Amino acid sequence: LSTLHTNDAPGAITRLRAALDVAPDLHLARFTLARAYGRTGDRVGAAREAAELLRRLPPTAPQRPEVQRLLDAVR
């Protein structure tokens, strides 16, 4: 996750994808992946990951509004 803070979004994407391949319900990793895609200009990738995160989050999860804002911003 720290690679996103050092402006290495492509490196972050690679590591986050690998983490999600092993554990697809790492919600923070998926949110960070959506943000990393957004930083690289890949709005489709960002929207895909944000939508997938919304699908995986419980209906009462407090993170849902923030994820929805991200999704709305990249659509």
Side-chain angles (χ1 to χ4, degrees), residues 20 24-34 45-75:
L20 289 167
D25 285 327
L26 291 173
H27 300 317
L28 180 57
R30 193 167 303 278
F31 181 74
T32 305
L33 178 59
R48 179 187 63 240
E49 295 303 330
E52 179 64 17
L53 179 53
L54 282 174
R55 188 183 75 73
R56 289 175 177 273
L57 282 172
T60 58
Q63 303 90 335
R64 290 185 72 83
E66 185 174 359
V67 176
Q68 186 64 56
R69 280 191 297 277
L70 173 62
L71 181 57
D72 292 343
V74 297
R75 280 193 170 158

